[in-house]
Amino acid sequence: MKFYKKLLIIFVAFLFVGHKTGKKSIYHKDWIDFNKNGVKDIYEDAKAPLEARVQNLISLMNVNEKTCQLTTLYGFARVLEDEMPNDKWKKRVWKDGIANIDEHLNTIWNQEKTHTKYAYPYSTHAEAINTVQKWFVEETRLGIPVDFTNEGVHGLCHERATPLPAPIGIGSTWNKNLVRKAGEIVGREAKALGYSNVYAPILDVARDQRWGRVLECYGEEPFHISEMGKQMTLGIQSQGVASTLKHFAVYSIPKGARDGDARTDPHVAPREMFQLHLYPFQKVIKEAAPMGIMSSYNDYDGVPITASKYFLTDLLRQKFGFNGYVVSDSEAVEYVSEKHRVAKDYKEAVRQVIEAGLNVRTTFRTPESFIEPLRELIAEGAVSINTIDERVADVLRVKFRLGLFDNPYVENPKDADKLVHTNEDQAFSKQINRESLVLLKNENNTLPLNIDNLDNILVTGPLANEVSFTYSRYGPAFNPSVSVFEGIKQYAGNKANVVFEKGCDIVDPNWPGSEIIPTPLSVKEQADIDAAVKKAKQSDVIIAVVGEDEKRVGETKSRTSLGLPGRQFQLVQALYATGKPVVLVLINGQPLTINWENKFLPAILEAWFPSTAAGEVIAETLFGDYNPGGKLSVTFPKAVGQIPLNFPYKPGSQAGQPGAGPNGYGNTRVLGPLYPFGYGLSYTTFEYSDLVVTPTIIKAQANVNVSFKVKNTGHRAGDEIVQLYIKDEVSSVTTYESVLRGFERVPLKPGETKTINFTLQPDDLAIFDKNMNWTVEPGYFEVLVGSSSEDIKLKKQFKVVAVDE
């Protein structure tokens, strides 16, 4: 057995080094001679302590090598011109190494320049990454391995990897176990393909529904986001791959939701910043220990985050305990001088971000553009070499933790073909799509539809026979995708005649201007709507698939209005006027102000941006093979004029207006949400009972146990998402009306009852006090249990007493 093991090691060494006459192999039985000196240095010794390895390597590095560990080389067709190493690389700055290479050979679905033969089959990519890694190990002086990074918020951003729905859909599942599994799949596929670092999850708190990247957030409530993000992080890192959280910090609420060229000026008070926007980062860092953070390109109160020592060092490392490395979001460094104008030039911006605590500049520019000014700053004495050593140490520490100095290569590239997007993964992809669906309205049990009672079905709307929304810039490319029309047609088979009519385009030619200055329908637009109406009159039911596509929502695509864009509203009204039942299926990336639709249409299903199984899972749900159980993780406002309108909120901040009394002069505005946070219907019904809270009197550092029962009182199996909220009755500073502090997705058969248990810990009761510290204050707390933030079923009090009571 030992003989065969030794033979295997020799074979692997030969595989990576090749047969080069007269060149001594650097690959030994239990170590790699990265610096080619024939001696096992401390950094090459897998048994040496981590810190000793880091410091030993830094002591051997020159300034050129150190600065190369502080920037990203974007992969093929982004910055890197070559798919594979070549002789020209010896003349580029990365001849001395590089911190990471991002998105190399991954293929992005809508960017043809990135398409490459090395992405698929999967084993081809693993072998290609090994070839690139081999160049850095063998051809640079110290052989420091590369950290290969990639995006992963919709599933791994790689050709034909397992697709996931948009994060807002993942958030709507409220299923922690499912999200953990999603993270494990992303991590496993990354590892098999040669990526060692995944840029996920996004922990931004989506508080302005107009913002384009609501699509990419789990929701608006910090506890919910942190629980989802924690599971994704744990899942990714369980596979030996780093998870890099983004975007730190206060990124998701640009003034007036203006994004793109703006990207500045979030209006958030300090206490709100800690309680809402920093809460998920602090919690996930504490409970999941991510190895990466992406710093955002916005400012906070006039100071760019990426140039802020307070954010990147004082808060992130010293207060929150982060011990990985920080990469910049694209152009965050450049914006310090170009947009924020707090540096006289770009070189000064480089100095500021390095001093603040940034480790790696990441953007679509050459590494030289950062390394050269940084070297000048060091030579001039403007940046201390000790500061450089600290920044480099953070990067190297992660590389050691990832095992890159012990096993820098994908050990078995051929295994990637068995490990990426398996049949089990495909089944999982469908399941997470199913669980992301939220039933918003179901008047008179319109849904589920009975296929046996239908002869003619019209599937209409601009998104009915479209699949572009199933793909993402940050997700897998080229997986087969099924449109809603095709899914319903396949489901119906020979049982019903299913026809399609588009009805209108997603937007009209004058959009978005037409949202504020309406224009009459053109002759063609009227004809398109008339064609859909004609088929509607011949149908038993109309399924209208409307909303937004990837060109209308996403990064740098914030909106002014939240109504259905283009002529879609006129189409829906015309369909309703036929008198036939209209089932609305929403494809969208942010809450929409569908007031008329909610008032008049009998059934509405929220699908968000599903992935490639869109048509199949929506058809299953509409016809009752699946019972939707998702809940909203964002508030749906009735109008943009109500924004900000979110959960949690301060007492009275979202209240009504007095109609009488000394200050009562009548109502002058629309009040309340269309659908509140945590809302979602089911094809069955649930009953809550037997709330028990113990003990009812505690000291500040004690736990509180909460239990209750939930029963499926209907005739179908279904999932209920039970939600636990806490209300602090009296506090030293004004705090939120209530906060989410527990949730669980509970599957229940008809008539089945389950007992649900939660444990409230001291952190769950803490508020950010007058001294800006998290504190559990004495007083009464109320436990609120229900099926949404507004539909509370059970209540009970407990008391926190002072230590000396």
Side-chain angles (χ1 to χ4, degrees), residues 557-593:
K557 299 186 184 85
S558 298
R559 289 188 59 190
T560 305
S561 167
L562 288 175
L564 291 173
R567 306 304 192 184
Q568 295 183 63
F569 181 52
Q570 288 99 318
L571 171 65
V572 171
Q573 286 184 309
L575 295 170
Y576 172 75
T578 65
K580 298 298 178 74
V582 179
V583 175
L584 200 70
V585 176
L586 291 176
I587 305 290
N588 51 301
Q590 58 212 123
L592 299 178
T593 51

mmCIF file of all heavy atoms in Angstrom, residues 557-593:
data_model
loop_
_atom_site.group_PDB
_atom_site.id
_atom_site.type_symbol
_atom_site.label_atom_id
_atom_site.label_comp_id
_atom_site.label_asym_id
_atom_site.label_seq_id
_atom_site.Cartn_x
_atom_site.Cartn_y
_atom_site.Cartn_z
ATOM 1 N N LYS A 557 -29.475 50.185 -11.850
ATOM 2 C CA LYS A 557 -30.769 50.302 -12.532
ATOM 3 C C LYS A 557 -31.882 50.644 -11.548
ATOM 4 O O LYS A 557 -32.918 49.985 -11.509
ATOM 5 C CB LYS A 557 -31.106 49.006 -13.275
ATOM 6 C CG LYS A 557 -30.099 48.612 -14.357
ATOM 7 C CD LYS A 557 -30.601 47.400 -15.122
ATOM 8 C CE LYS A 557 -29.575 46.933 -16.138
ATOM 9 N NZ LYS A 557 -28.586 46.044 -15.556
ATOM 10 N N SER A 558 -31.670 51.661 -10.752
ATOM 11 C CA SER A 558 -32.722 52.103 -9.839
ATOM 12 C C SER A 558 -33.865 52.748 -10.622
ATOM 13 O O SER A 558 -33.657 53.290 -11.709
ATOM 14 C CB SER A 558 -32.157 53.097 -8.830
ATOM 15 O OG SER A 558 -31.166 52.475 -8.040
ATOM 16 N N ARG A 559 -35.072 52.695 -10.028
ATOM 17 C CA ARG A 559 -36.253 53.191 -10.729
ATOM 18 C C ARG A 559 -36.858 54.414 -10.039
ATOM 19 O O ARG A 559 -36.649 54.633 -8.848
ATOM 20 C CB ARG A 559 -37.303 52.081 -10.826
ATOM 21 C CG ARG A 559 -36.938 50.953 -11.789
ATOM 22 C CD ARG A 559 -38.108 50.008 -11.980
ATOM 23 N NE ARG A 559 -39.278 50.715 -12.509
ATOM 24 C CZ ARG A 559 -40.495 50.183 -12.586
ATOM 25 N NH1 ARG A 559 -40.694 48.940 -12.152
ATOM 26 N NH2 ARG A 559 -41.504 50.885 -13.071
ATOM 27 N N THR A 560 -37.622 55.176 -10.811
ATOM 28 C CA THR A 560 -38.353 56.320 -10.292
ATOM 29 C C THR A 560 -39.730 55.888 -9.799
ATOM 30 O O THR A 560 -40.203 56.318 -8.757
ATOM 31 C CB THR A 560 -38.523 57.389 -11.390
ATOM 32 O OG1 THR A 560 -37.240 57.721 -11.901
ATOM 33 C CG2 THR A 560 -39.202 58.626 -10.835
ATOM 34 N N SER A 561 -40.382 55.035 -10.574
ATOM 35 C CA SER A 561 -41.697 54.504 -10.232
ATOM 36 C C SER A 561 -41.569 53.028 -9.914
ATOM 37 O O SER A 561 -40.585 52.385 -10.286
ATOM 38 C CB SER A 561 -42.658 54.698 -11.410
ATOM 39 O OG SER A 561 -43.837 53.939 -11.238
ATOM 40 N N LEU A 562 -42.561 52.466 -9.231
ATOM 41 C CA LEU A 562 -42.566 51.030 -8.962
ATOM 42 C C LEU A 562 -43.816 50.361 -9.518
ATOM 43 O O LEU A 562 -44.151 49.242 -9.133
ATOM 44 C CB LEU A 562 -42.452 50.767 -7.447
ATOM 45 C CG LEU A 562 -41.078 51.060 -6.844
ATOM 46 C CD1 LEU A 562 -41.110 50.883 -5.328
ATOM 47 C CD2 LEU A 562 -40.003 50.169 -7.459
ATOM 48 N N GLY A 563 -44.493 51.032 -10.438
ATOM 49 C CA GLY A 563 -45.609 50.390 -11.122
ATOM 50 C C GLY A 563 -45.103 49.454 -12.197
ATOM 51 O O GLY A 563 -43.909 49.420 -12.520
ATOM 52 N N LEU A 564 -45.997 48.663 -12.775
ATOM 53 C CA LEU A 564 -45.606 47.828 -13.906
ATOM 54 C C LEU A 564 -45.093 48.732 -15.024
ATOM 55 O O LEU A 564 -45.768 49.692 -15.404
ATOM 56 C CB LEU A 564 -46.802 47.011 -14.408
ATOM 57 C CG LEU A 564 -47.307 45.905 -13.489
ATOM 58 C CD1 LEU A 564 -48.590 45.301 -14.050
ATOM 59 C CD2 LEU A 564 -46.240 44.825 -13.294
ATOM 60 N N PRO A 565 -43.908 48.468 -15.544
ATOM 61 C CA PRO A 565 -43.354 49.372 -16.560
ATOM 62 C C PRO A 565 -44.060 49.244 -17.911
ATOM 63 O O PRO A 565 -44.748 48.261 -18.186
ATOM 64 C CB PRO A 565 -41.889 48.928 -16.653
ATOM 65 C CG PRO A 565 -41.863 47.526 -16.155
ATOM 66 C CD PRO A 565 -42.960 47.413 -15.162
ATOM 67 N N GLY A 566 -43.874 50.252 -18.736
ATOM 68 C CA GLY A 566 -44.404 50.224 -20.092
ATOM 69 C C GLY A 566 -45.917 50.181 -20.139
ATOM 70 O O GLY A 566 -46.605 50.851 -19.366
ATOM 71 N N ARG A 567 -46.433 49.350 -21.045
ATOM 72 C CA ARG A 567 -47.880 49.246 -21.255
ATOM 73 C C ARG A 567 -48.495 48.050 -20.529
ATOM 74 O O ARG A 567 -49.637 47.656 -20.814
ATOM 75 C CB ARG A 567 -48.175 49.115 -22.756
ATOM 76 C CG ARG A 567 -47.578 50.213 -23.607
ATOM 77 C CD ARG A 567 -48.003 51.598 -23.152
ATOM 78 N NE ARG A 567 -47.653 52.621 -24.137
ATOM 79 C CZ ARG A 567 -47.839 53.911 -23.972
ATOM 80 N NH1 ARG A 567 -48.359 54.357 -22.820
ATOM 81 N NH2 ARG A 567 -47.520 54.770 -24.919
ATOM 82 N N GLN A 568 -47.754 47.484 -19.593
ATOM 83 C CA GLN A 568 -48.230 46.263 -18.951
ATOM 84 C C GLN A 568 -49.501 46.492 -18.138
ATOM 85 O O GLN A 568 -50.378 45.621 -18.084
ATOM 86 C CB GLN A 568 -47.130 45.677 -18.065
ATOM 87 C CG GLN A 568 -45.913 45.221 -18.848
ATOM 88 C CD GLN A 568 -44.859 44.584 -17.949
ATOM 89 O OE1 GLN A 568 -45.102 43.562 -17.325
ATOM 90 N NE2 GLN A 568 -43.688 45.207 -17.883
ATOM 91 N N PHE A 569 -49.610 47.637 -17.498
ATOM 92 C CA PHE A 569 -50.806 47.915 -16.702
ATOM 93 C C PHE A 569 -52.044 47.997 -17.604
ATOM 94 O O PHE A 569 -53.110 47.457 -17.283
ATOM 95 C CB PHE A 569 -50.618 49.203 -15.909
ATOM 96 C CG PHE A 569 -51.790 49.551 -15.032
ATOM 97 C CD1 PHE A 569 -52.315 48.620 -14.146
ATOM 98 C CD2 PHE A 569 -52.369 50.812 -15.091
ATOM 99 C CE1 PHE A 569 -53.409 48.938 -13.334
ATOM 100 C CE2 PHE A 569 -53.451 51.142 -14.281
ATOM 101 C CZ PHE A 569 -53.970 50.199 -13.402
ATOM 102 N N GLN A 570 -51.894 48.662 -18.753
ATOM 103 C CA GLN A 570 -53.019 48.736 -19.689
ATOM 104 C C GLN A 570 -53.403 47.350 -20.190
ATOM 105 O O GLN A 570 -54.589 47.047 -20.373
ATOM 106 C CB GLN A 570 -52.665 49.639 -20.888
ATOM 107 C CG GLN A 570 -52.614 51.116 -20.532
ATOM 108 C CD GLN A 570 -51.194 51.595 -20.301
ATOM 109 O OE1 GLN A 570 -50.385 50.905 -19.674
ATOM 110 N NE2 GLN A 570 -50.888 52.782 -20.800
ATOM 111 N N LEU A 571 -52.410 46.478 -20.410
ATOM 112 C CA LEU A 571 -52.691 45.107 -20.827
ATOM 113 C C LEU A 571 -53.500 44.373 -19.761
ATOM 114 O O LEU A 571 -54.517 43.738 -20.059
ATOM 115 C CB LEU A 571 -51.387 44.356 -21.106
ATOM 116 C CG LEU A 571 -51.522 42.845 -21.342
ATOM 117 C CD1 LEU A 571 -52.320 42.567 -22.615
ATOM 118 C CD2 LEU A 571 -50.147 42.178 -21.404
ATOM 119 N N VAL A 572 -53.059 44.487 -18.509
ATOM 120 C CA VAL A 572 -53.742 43.795 -17.412
ATOM 121 C C VAL A 572 -55.177 44.307 -17.269
ATOM 122 O O VAL A 572 -56.119 43.519 -17.080
ATOM 123 C CB VAL A 572 -52.961 43.971 -16.087
ATOM 124 C CG1 VAL A 572 -53.773 43.444 -14.909
ATOM 125 C CG2 VAL A 572 -51.623 43.259 -16.169
ATOM 126 N N GLN A 573 -55.372 45.607 -17.370
ATOM 127 C CA GLN A 573 -56.721 46.164 -17.273
ATOM 128 C C GLN A 573 -57.627 45.655 -18.397
ATOM 129 O O GLN A 573 -58.802 45.325 -18.173
ATOM 130 C CB GLN A 573 -56.663 47.688 -17.317
ATOM 131 C CG GLN A 573 -56.156 48.323 -16.031
ATOM 132 C CD GLN A 573 -56.217 49.834 -16.093
ATOM 133 O OE1 GLN A 573 -55.734 50.452 -17.029
ATOM 134 N NE2 GLN A 573 -56.815 50.442 -15.083
ATOM 135 N N ALA A 574 -57.069 45.583 -19.600
ATOM 136 C CA ALA A 574 -57.851 45.095 -20.744
ATOM 137 C C ALA A 574 -58.212 43.622 -20.575
ATOM 138 O O ALA A 574 -59.327 43.199 -20.937
ATOM 139 C CB ALA A 574 -57.068 45.314 -22.035
ATOM 140 N N LEU A 575 -57.306 42.844 -20.027
ATOM 141 C CA LEU A 575 -57.578 41.416 -19.790
ATOM 142 C C LEU A 575 -58.678 41.261 -18.744
ATOM 143 O O LEU A 575 -59.586 40.434 -18.886
ATOM 144 C CB LEU A 575 -56.307 40.706 -19.345
ATOM 145 C CG LEU A 575 -55.170 40.625 -20.366
ATOM 146 C CD1 LEU A 575 -53.895 40.104 -19.704
ATOM 147 C CD2 LEU A 575 -55.556 39.749 -21.550
ATOM 148 N N TYR A 576 -58.608 42.063 -17.698
ATOM 149 C CA TYR A 576 -59.613 42.012 -16.624
ATOM 150 C C TYR A 576 -60.995 42.371 -17.165
ATOM 151 O O TYR A 576 -62.018 41.780 -16.768
ATOM 152 C CB TYR A 576 -59.210 42.972 -15.507
ATOM 153 C CG TYR A 576 -60.262 43.155 -14.439
ATOM 154 C CD1 TYR A 576 -60.505 42.172 -13.486
ATOM 155 C CD2 TYR A 576 -61.027 44.327 -14.395
ATOM 156 C CE1 TYR A 576 -61.480 42.352 -12.506
ATOM 157 C CE2 TYR A 576 -61.995 44.515 -13.420
ATOM 158 C CZ TYR A 576 -62.221 43.521 -12.481
ATOM 159 O OH TYR A 576 -63.184 43.688 -11.510
ATOM 160 N N ALA A 577 -61.039 43.317 -18.097
ATOM 161 C CA ALA A 577 -62.321 43.783 -18.653
ATOM 162 C C ALA A 577 -63.044 42.694 -19.441
ATOM 163 O O ALA A 577 -64.254 42.813 -19.697
ATOM 164 C CB ALA A 577 -62.091 45.009 -19.534
ATOM 165 N N THR A 578 -62.365 41.627 -19.812
ATOM 166 C CA THR A 578 -63.021 40.528 -20.531
ATOM 167 C C THR A 578 -63.963 39.752 -19.628
ATOM 168 O O THR A 578 -64.805 38.986 -20.112
ATOM 169 C CB THR A 578 -61.986 39.545 -21.103
ATOM 170 O OG1 THR A 578 -61.286 38.905 -20.029
ATOM 171 C CG2 THR A 578 -61.006 40.251 -22.027
ATOM 172 N N GLY A 579 -63.809 39.900 -18.318
ATOM 173 C CA GLY A 579 -64.634 39.152 -17.378
ATOM 174 C C GLY A 579 -64.110 37.764 -17.068
ATOM 175 O O GLY A 579 -64.662 37.060 -16.208
ATOM 176 N N LYS A 580 -63.036 37.366 -17.734
ATOM 177 C CA LYS A 580 -62.433 36.066 -17.465
ATOM 178 C C LYS A 580 -61.480 36.183 -16.269
ATOM 179 O O LYS A 580 -60.887 37.250 -16.037
ATOM 180 C CB LYS A 580 -61.647 35.579 -18.691
ATOM 181 C CG LYS A 580 -62.508 35.365 -19.919
ATOM 182 C CD LYS A 580 -63.558 34.291 -19.697
ATOM 183 C CE LYS A 580 -64.457 34.101 -20.896
ATOM 184 N NZ LYS A 580 -63.802 33.399 -22.015
ATOM 185 N N PRO A 581 -61.320 35.106 -15.464
ATOM 186 C CA PRO A 581 -60.401 35.195 -14.319
ATOM 187 C C PRO A 581 -58.962 35.415 -14.772
ATOM 188 O O PRO A 581 -58.482 34.745 -15.689
ATOM 189 C CB PRO A 581 -60.577 33.848 -13.619
ATOM 190 C CG PRO A 581 -61.164 32.936 -14.641
ATOM 191 C CD PRO A 581 -61.978 33.792 -15.558
ATOM 192 N N VAL A 582 -58.300 36.362 -14.124
ATOM 193 C CA VAL A 582 -56.905 36.688 -14.456
ATOM 194 C C VAL A 582 -56.026 36.330 -13.270
ATOM 195 O O VAL A 582 -56.215 36.857 -12.161
ATOM 196 C CB VAL A 582 -56.734 38.191 -14.791
ATOM 197 C CG1 VAL A 582 -55.272 38.492 -15.108
ATOM 198 C CG2 VAL A 582 -57.639 38.580 -15.953
ATOM 199 N N VAL A 583 -55.078 35.446 -13.508
ATOM 200 C CA VAL A 583 -54.063 35.097 -12.505
ATOM 201 C C VAL A 583 -52.787 35.846 -12.873
ATOM 202 O O VAL A 583 -52.259 35.693 -13.979
ATOM 203 C CB VAL A 583 -53.797 33.580 -12.469
ATOM 204 C CG1 VAL A 583 -52.654 33.259 -11.512
ATOM 205 C CG2 VAL A 583 -55.068 32.828 -12.079
ATOM 206 N N LEU A 584 -52.313 36.680 -11.957
ATOM 207 C CA LEU A 584 -51.124 37.486 -12.218
ATOM 208 C C LEU A 584 -49.899 36.782 -11.666
ATOM 209 O O LEU A 584 -49.863 36.399 -10.488
ATOM 210 C CB LEU A 584 -51.280 38.856 -11.557
ATOM 211 C CG LEU A 584 -50.390 39.978 -12.092
ATOM 212 C CD1 LEU A 584 -50.843 40.372 -13.495
ATOM 213 C CD2 LEU A 584 -50.445 41.193 -11.175
ATOM 214 N N VAL A 585 -48.891 36.573 -12.513
ATOM 215 C CA VAL A 585 -47.600 36.047 -12.085
ATOM 216 C C VAL A 585 -46.589 37.168 -12.233
ATOM 217 O O VAL A 585 -46.404 37.706 -13.336
ATOM 218 C CB VAL A 585 -47.171 34.828 -12.929
ATOM 219 C CG1 VAL A 585 -45.768 34.366 -12.526
ATOM 220 C CG2 VAL A 585 -48.171 33.686 -12.762
ATOM 221 N N LEU A 586 -45.967 37.531 -11.126
ATOM 222 C CA LEU A 586 -45.005 38.638 -11.127
ATOM 223 C C LEU A 586 -43.581 38.119 -11.263
ATOM 224 O O LEU A 586 -43.151 37.265 -10.487
ATOM 225 C CB LEU A 586 -45.117 39.440 -9.833
ATOM 226 C CG LEU A 586 -46.383 40.261 -9.610
ATOM 227 C CD1 LEU A 586 -46.345 40.891 -8.225
ATOM 228 C CD2 LEU A 586 -46.534 41.338 -10.681
ATOM 229 N N ILE A 587 -42.878 38.651 -12.245
ATOM 230 C CA ILE A 587 -41.432 38.455 -12.382
ATOM 231 C C ILE A 587 -40.820 39.820 -12.134
ATOM 232 O O ILE A 587 -40.994 40.742 -12.934
ATOM 233 C CB ILE A 587 -41.052 37.953 -13.794
ATOM 234 C CG1 ILE A 587 -41.817 36.678 -14.156
ATOM 235 C CG2 ILE A 587 -39.540 37.781 -13.898
ATOM 236 C CD1 ILE A 587 -41.427 35.448 -13.394
ATOM 237 N N ASN A 588 -40.119 39.978 -11.026
ATOM 238 C CA ASN A 588 -39.635 41.315 -10.674
ATOM 239 C C ASN A 588 -38.512 41.220 -9.655
ATOM 240 O O ASN A 588 -38.378 40.213 -8.957
ATOM 241 C CB ASN A 588 -40.767 42.180 -10.122
ATOM 242 C CG ASN A 588 -41.555 41.515 -9.020
ATOM 243 O OD1 ASN A 588 -42.136 40.452 -9.215
ATOM 244 N ND2 ASN A 588 -41.583 42.118 -7.849
ATOM 245 N N GLY A 589 -37.733 42.272 -9.571
ATOM 246 C CA GLY A 589 -36.598 42.266 -8.670
ATOM 247 C C GLY A 589 -36.757 43.175 -7.475
ATOM 248 O O GLY A 589 -35.864 43.255 -6.630
ATOM 249 N N GLN A 590 -37.883 43.879 -7.397
ATOM 250 C CA GLN A 590 -38.129 44.776 -6.279
ATOM 251 C C GLN A 590 -39.642 44.852 -6.066
ATOM 252 O O GLN A 590 -40.413 44.499 -6.967
ATOM 253 C CB GLN A 590 -37.550 46.155 -6.572
ATOM 254 C CG GLN A 590 -38.089 46.807 -7.821
ATOM 255 C CD GLN A 590 -37.068 47.685 -8.507
ATOM 256 O OE1 GLN A 590 -36.758 47.492 -9.663
ATOM 257 N NE2 GLN A 590 -36.535 48.663 -7.821
ATOM 258 N N PRO A 591 -40.097 45.267 -4.900
ATOM 259 C CA PRO A 591 -41.542 45.370 -4.674
ATOM 260 C C PRO A 591 -42.186 46.324 -5.673
ATOM 261 O O PRO A 591 -41.625 47.372 -6.002
ATOM 262 C CB PRO A 591 -41.627 45.927 -3.249
ATOM 263 C CG PRO A 591 -40.342 45.542 -2.601
ATOM 264 C CD PRO A 591 -39.321 45.629 -3.694
ATOM 265 N N LEU A 592 -43.358 45.963 -6.153
ATOM 266 C CA LEU A 592 -44.079 46.792 -7.107
ATOM 267 C C LEU A 592 -45.365 47.319 -6.479
ATOM 268 O O LEU A 592 -45.988 46.643 -5.658
ATOM 269 C CB LEU A 592 -44.403 45.992 -8.371
ATOM 270 C CG LEU A 592 -43.195 45.443 -9.144
ATOM 271 C CD1 LEU A 592 -43.655 44.639 -10.352
ATOM 272 C CD2 LEU A 592 -42.251 46.563 -9.579
ATOM 273 N N THR A 593 -45.753 48.522 -6.891
ATOM 274 C CA THR A 593 -46.943 49.170 -6.333
ATOM 275 C C THR A 593 -48.180 48.742 -7.135
ATOM 276 O O THR A 593 -48.752 49.527 -7.895
ATOM 277 C CB THR A 593 -46.771 50.696 -6.350
ATOM 278 O OG1 THR A 593 -46.376 51.101 -7.679
ATOM 279 C CG2 THR A 593 -45.697 51.133 -5.368
#
